[in-house]
Each structure stands twice: as structure tokens, then as C-alpha cells.
Amino acid sequence: MANNDLILGQSHSLALGQNQTLVLGHNHNLGLTQNHELDLGTGHDHHLGLGQSHDHDLGLGHSHDHELDLGQSHDQEGDVGHSYRHGNNLTTDRKPDHDDHELTLSENNVLVVSENQELDGNLELAVVDNQEMGIDPARDLQQSQVLVSLPPVLQFRNSNPSYELAVGQEFPDVKSCRRALRDTAIALHFEIQTIKSDKTRFTAKCASEGCPWRIHAAKLPGVPTFTIRTIHGTHTCGGLYHLGHQQASVQWVAHSVEQRLRENPNYKPKEILEEIHRVHGITLSYKQAWRGKERIMAAMRGSFEEGYRLLPQYCEQIKQTNPGSIATVYGNPTDSCFQRLFISFQASIYGFLNACRPLLGLDRTFLKSKYLGTLLLATGFDGDGALFPLAFGVVDEETDENWMWFLSELHTLLEIYTENMPRLTILSDRQKGIVDGVEANFPTAFHGFCMRHLSESFRKEFNNTMLVNLLWDAAHALTVIEFEAKILEIEEISQDAAYWIRRIPPRLWATAYFEGTRFGHLTANIVESLNSWLLEASGLPIIQMMECIRRQLMTWFNERRETSMQWTSILVPSAERCVAEALECARTYQVLRANEAEFEVISQEGTNIVDIRNRCCLCRGWQLYGLPCAHAVAALLSCRQNVHRFTESCFTVATYRKAYSQTIHPIPDRSLWKESSHCDPNANKALDVIIHPPKSLKPPGRPRKKRVRAEDRGRAKRVVHCSRCNQTGHFRTTCAAPI
């Protein structure tokens, strides 16, 4: 492989990639003609070795600069006959008293050769299996060597006819020209540096140092069209030395995934990153993907600020498209910032007052959007036990004052649509604002605490699964005797827990003491039941969130209306199953009749007295659930009465169909709101109202996306047992009980 010359022509570079070594043996000269460079990247160790007793001439053409560039933070070693200076400059100067050349390293890592040196000797270049470039792999590498390592090219330059630019190519405007050049740079793996960009011209070059590629475009006279005037040179860069790309901006990310997001708004930023890496071969940060998605979503659904600004118009649209509905928005009188929003559809009001159980649950969930806020919910229950949303409120923050306002609006709408206010049973948590609001607005209502909130507070206080389970057993107990037995079991385990429970009046939460009719509902359970779609809606702009809720209600009403039309039974399916189970049990009971209405029913569990005129049983099952219990069914069968006639009317299929007989109508697109408002003078007043976003922004950090159920958390934990005191809730090692 000897006597092979390596000649580098004018304007050419020799670039070595990662783990590639240039080895120069003894008596071999590296001849470079004018304007040639040997580039070595950063981040690698480079060994420069020259033998002691050999002459090495590095000759360069007259008046031309030739550099051997070594990246910073490299280790350079020189053998005998060469000096090392702190400057890391490699300089060869002919001295009058020496035949050899002195090589010194300077800080700029530049190999400089004086102009009076000659080109001679032979140069051999060989590529061996281990990616070394050397004279001969069999030669003794102890003699004069230069070992050089370069950074890797992570994105190689390629060619793609779809993205090639040509002189004379035209674009509608300068933005389109920039966009086309950006897409070309990303597709062909090179970065551009803008030199000049204005309304009439655009000039850019390749950002890689030493690459001659350059492009110039200009505007055609009289039209906004831009055309490429010149493209200088071809790319000499090998590609990009990193995985990102300067032109991969947030706007480019948004443009790349716009179609996918329109098809699937739940497309996650992580999936965006994976697709961009797979299609374009570049790696972006999570924040870029998230911002790109937010930019497209804002264009699709509108901004959060615009949502608050359009609230007055949105309320007018609800009233126009759904006559009889209530939709009001309130702003702060001083700065017009958003405070409250109340919406209730006429179909929901009619169905609740005429066909639902007289039971109302109150709950709330925090908004996950850009601005803080709380969504308040008032929900009824239809005859089949499903949630029947009645009213929604959005407030800037959850306070006692806002709960009082929400319950006042709720009482007003119920008074408007009914002459005789039904005596409601209301379920909620123990928040003071709710308690005071119920007492002020629904003084005759039975107010019970939601067991989910109560058990959660109890768990936080004692953290004992067995105690929590006993608390639920006590809440489900139908009689006072059963309730007190469960409380005694709790007291045997922990007197503090029993004391904590007795501080809360049992008439507010225990079935045995509760005076109202809860139909077996111990929890409001609203937010958890609506979690599947309410969590996603809570992160949208306020109008989009309310539209998501309206569409869900509209779908529910239609689906349940159509489903009920296929039922052929007298009672709804859930009530039919309960009556069928009671009939099965009643066949084994012995019934003794006292008069036309009173019966004595004897079973293995004991004796119960049934009064079919007052629809009550000593077990209290009939009164609490609204359906005849097994004892009542046995008494009714003994006197040949129709069991279905003795159920509450809300459980019949006819009443169920009445609950969903009204329709929740769709609302037109916001682009048509102003046109429809011109016909209504009241709507024009709403257009003059300006609502600004609330002042409170969402705190930093990732919000919790899933609400953990108290019951599920209880089932997941294992009950621990102490072998020292035989109590639960702790181990022997942490036991503090006296022995």
C-alpha cells in the first residue's frame, strides 16, 4: 500500500467521523494544496505521535492557510523532538540550525506551517477494519503517528426529490417561502441561518461552518409571489452532529400533527414525539410537543380568554335554543372578572320535578384548565338509579358564599316550575357552606351527609381498614339495634374511633336514624360516576366544557328515551330484579292476617309486622327503598294483591319515559351567534356585557388526573394484625399498648 499519494483538490475537506484514526508513518508527507482543511470534532481524545529520528515535512502551497482543527478538551501528546506549549497551537517553522520541524500546540488547536516549506515524500492512505486511516496496518505504529477522532454525524445528509429547491420556483408569499425552506432543511438534515428577511427578499445559508450552500429569493413586482433567484453551491456538510433541529419550532410541530389532533384530540405529547422521531428522524423535548399541541387545540376550540368573553352570548344561545332553560353569568362589578355561572336545561328541570325520585345530590370538582375554578353539580336520580343532572354552576373558587348562591339559584328554579315544592332529601359532604345553604333555602328538606366524604375523613383520622368497614356496616344497618351493635364493635377496637363517630349525629348519616327517604343511596357519588368524561371536560375552556356537558346530556336523554321504549315490563329493570328477589324469599314465609291491612309475617330471621295501607314494615326496608320488601310481598301475595301497585311511581316504566320525554337541543356554532342575536333585543344587551377571566391562574405542577375512590383504596390495603396486643392497624414492632 506504499507510495500512494493522497491529493486533495481545491475547496475540498477531509472529515473523519467517530473512532476514525489518521495514521501517518515515517518518511511520509501530507501534501495539501491550497484551501484544504482537515477537521476534527470535539469531545474525543486525539493522539499526535511523531518519531524521534525521522524527518517529516508538512508542505503547504504559497500564501494559503491550512488548518488541522482539534476540538476543545482533547489530550495531545508529543514524542521526543517536539515541544508542547500551553497555547495548543501546532506550528511548523524551519529553523536555521535544525533539519527537523518543531510542532507546538496552541490553544486554538491549529496546525500552522510556514510558507517556505516544500511538498515531498510519499503519502499512503489505507482504511482498516477497525475504522483507522493509516499508511499500512502492518507497519510499526511506534513510529511517527497522528491519531485523530472526530464527532459522529447523527443525521446524515440525504436527497429527497420531493423537497429539492430549484431556481425559478415560486411561492405565494414570503411566509410560504420560509416554510418550504424550513421543511426542506428538516427533510434533508441540514440547518439554515437567515441572513436577510423582509417583505421583498429572503436570503439564507447553510448553518454548517464552511459549507458554501446559499439561497436567495425575491418578491416579484406587483404581486406577493416570491421566487427563488439563485442557489449557490452544493452542500459539503455531512449532516448534523446532534439529534435536534434548529428549524423544528413549535409552529412546525403544530403544523406536523394538526391533522392527527383534529382526528384524535386526545393525542398525547409523548405520542407526538414518537411520531416526529419516526417520520422525520429528529428528537424534540416534551415541552415543544406540548406547546405544539396546545397551539392547535387553541385554534380548534378557542382560547381560554375568549371562552370567558363569549359567556354572555353563550347563555343567550342556551335560552334561545332550549326555551325555559336558565343560564346566567355574573362578573365582578369592579373589574368585570368572572365570578359565577349557573346553567340548568328545561328538559332536566321537567324530568326531575315530574318523574325522578325526590332525592338530590350535591358535589363539586375542581377545574383543570388554565384558570382556577370549581364546577358545582346538583344531580337527581331516575327510577332506574342512574344519575339525572339537574343544574351546573361554575365559580371562581369554592367558598361558603358561592355554595349559598348556588343553592339559592337551585331553589329559585324549583319554585318557578312547581307550585308545591317537593320535600327533598339532599345528600352532600359536611362543608359548612352547604349545610348553611340547605338550611336557608330548603328548610323542610332532609339533609344527609354523603358516606364517601364521611368515611374518607374517618380513614384519614384512624387509618384502619377494619374500622372503616364497620363504619359502612353501621351506616347500612336498617334498625337501631343493628346500628348500635356495629358501634360497639368499633368501640372494642378503638374507643377514640367510637367517640369520633358519636360526635356526628347519626340522623345525618345512619340509615337507621335518617328521617328522609334515600332509596338506598348513601353517597352522592356524582363526580366519581361522571369521571369518565367529566375529567377531560374540566380541562377545556369554559364554553367548551359546558358544551361537552350539554352534548353528554343530550346523548343520554336520547339513548335512555329510545331504550325505555323497548321495555315491556311494568317496572324499570332494576326494580323488577328487586321485586323478583323478594318474591323468591317470600315463598318460604308464613303469613298471619290481623285485619284488612295488618299482617304478621314469620320467617327464620324472626317475626315482622306489615301494614299494606301505610306501606311500612317493621324491618323498615319498604319505607327506606320505596319497593315492597320480602315480608311485604308475602303479605300482599296472601291477600292476592298486585305487588307492582304498591311500589313508588318513580319506579314504573311510564314515569321513567316521562323523565326523558323532553329534548336537550343542540347549540349552533359560535360563528352564527351574532347573526341570531340581531333578531332578539334582549340578546343585544348581552353582547354589551364583557367578562374577563378570573385573576387566579392554575398553580404549577401536573394536576392529578384520576380521583381515587375511598372504597377502592380501602379494598386495596391489607389489614395488619399485631401479635402482641391482638389489635389491628399496626405491627408488633410499633405496638405501644401496655401489657
Side-chain angles (χ1 to χ4, degrees), residues 157-332:
R157 284 272 296 110
N158 60 358
S159 60
N160 190 335
S162 302
Y163 291 94
E164 291 293 344
L165 299 174
V167 176
Q169 188 173 348
E170 295 183 353
F171 306 95
D173 49 39
V174 66
K175 290 185 178 179
S176 302
C177 180
R178 295 194 198 109
R179 192 180 305 118
L181 184 56
R182 177 198 64 190
D183 295 341
T184 299
I186 293 174
L188 304 185
H189 300 303
F190 70 93
E191 293 177 335
I192 59 174
Q193 179 182 347
T194 302
I195 298 175
K196 189 174 295 182
S197 179
D198 54 34
K199 295 181 179 180
T200 60
R201 52 189 173 176
F202 178 77
T203 306
K205 68 174 184 177
C206 180
S208 180
E209 186 175 355
C211 182
W213 188 88
R214 182 185 180 100
I215 188 171
H216 175 70
K219 178 179 175 295
L220 295 178
V223 291
T225 305
F226 262 67
T227 181
I228 297 178
R229 293 291 177 84
T230 58
I231 300 178
H232 297 284
T234 58
H235 286 281
T236 59
C237 54
L240 299 178
Y241 295 95
H242 55 87
L243 294 175
H245 203 287
Q246 290 182 0
Q247 275 66 53
S249 61
V250 173
Q251 182 61 36
W252 177 80
V253 173
H255 179 73
S256 301
V257 299
E258 180 177 3
Q259 186 61 34
R260 181 66 64 90
L261 280 173
R262 291 187 182 277
E263 297 173 357
N264 178 22
N266 296 323
Y267 201 43
K268 297 180 180 179
K270 183 179 179 181
E271 297 172 332
I272 294 175
L273 291 177
E274 293 174 353
E275 179 177 348
I276 289 178
H277 181 73
R278 176 176 53 83
V279 176
H280 302 282
I282 59 178
T283 302
L284 303 177
S285 65
Y286 183 90
K287 192 172 185 179
Q288 279 181 290
W290 181 84
R291 284 181 171 179
K293 177 182 177 180
E294 287 299 308
R295 187 166 296 187
I296 293 299
M297 297 305 293
M300 292 170 51
R301 67 195 180 192
S303 65
F304 290 92
E305 293 76 13
E306 184 185 27
Y308 288 101
R309 182 175 59 84
L310 295 177
L311 272 178
Q313 300 178 41
Y314 178 69
C315 291
E316 289 300 321
Q317 289 298 315
I318 291 178
K319 297 175 184 177
Q320 291 181 20
T321 56
N322 293 268
S325 301
I326 297 177
T328 53
V329 60
Y330 302 92
N332 193 314

Side-chain angles (χ1 to χ4, degrees), residues 15 31 74 115 240 274 276 299 321 401 412 441 449 512 552 659 735-736 738:
H74 302 286
E115 61 181 20
L240 299 178
E274 293 174 353
I276 289 178
T321 56
E401 182 182 358
T412 301
N441 295 284
F449 290 158
Q552 185 66 53
C735 182

Side-chain angles (χ1 to χ4, degrees), residues 593-663:
R593 186 167 186 172
N595 53 40
E596 67 278 0
E598 193 173 6
F599 299 82
E600 180 180 353
V601 181
I602 303 173
S603 64
Q604 294 180 353
E605 294 82 12
T607 301
N608 287 276
I609 301 174
V610 177
D611 187 345
I612 61 174
R613 180 184 293 114
N614 297 318
R615 298 189 177 187
C616 63
C617 177
L618 196 61
C619 74
R620 301 188 72 238
W622 197 354
Q623 302 93 294
L624 295 175
Y625 296 105
L627 294 171
C629 61
H631 312 110
V633 170
L636 291 170
L637 291 177
S638 67
C639 60
R640 298 183 179 181
Q641 293 290 332
N642 187 349
V643 176
H644 296 92
R645 290 179 51 221
F646 289 85
T647 60
E648 294 292 335
S649 61
C650 61
F651 293 108
T652 63
V653 172
T655 303
Y656 183 92
R657 291 171 179 168
K658 191 176 182 180
Y660 296 101
S661 60
Q662 303 294 311
T663 301

Side-chain angles (χ1 to χ4, degrees), residues 470 474 481-495 498 502:
L470 288 173
I481 296 176
E482 294 175 0
F483 173 82
E484 292 298 334
K486 295 299 179 183
I487 297 299
L488 288 177
E489 290 185 40
I490 294 175
E491 191 172 7
E492 291 177 359
I493 298 175
S494 172
Q495 293 184 353
R502 291 187 185 279

Side-chain angles (χ1 to χ4, degrees), residues 361-405:
L362 303 177
D363 206 349
R364 57 98 178 96
T365 183
F366 298 110
L367 302 185
K368 308 296 191 302
S369 60
K370 180 178 179 180
Y371 296 95
L372 289 177
T374 305
L375 176 65
L376 310 180
L377 304 100
T379 303
F381 300 86
D382 63 22
D384 205 30
L387 291 177
F388 191 92
L390 174 61
F392 302 91
V394 181
V395 294
D396 53 354
E397 58 181 337
E398 184 186 17
T399 61
D400 295 346
E401 182 182 358
N402 281 334
W403 269 115
M404 181 68 74
W405 162 82

Side-chain angles (χ1 to χ4, degrees), residues 347-363:
S348 297
I349 299 172
Y350 177 85
F352 177 78
L353 292 175
N354 293 279
C356 285
R357 308 177 188 184
L359 178 66
L360 199 63
L362 303 177
D363 206 349

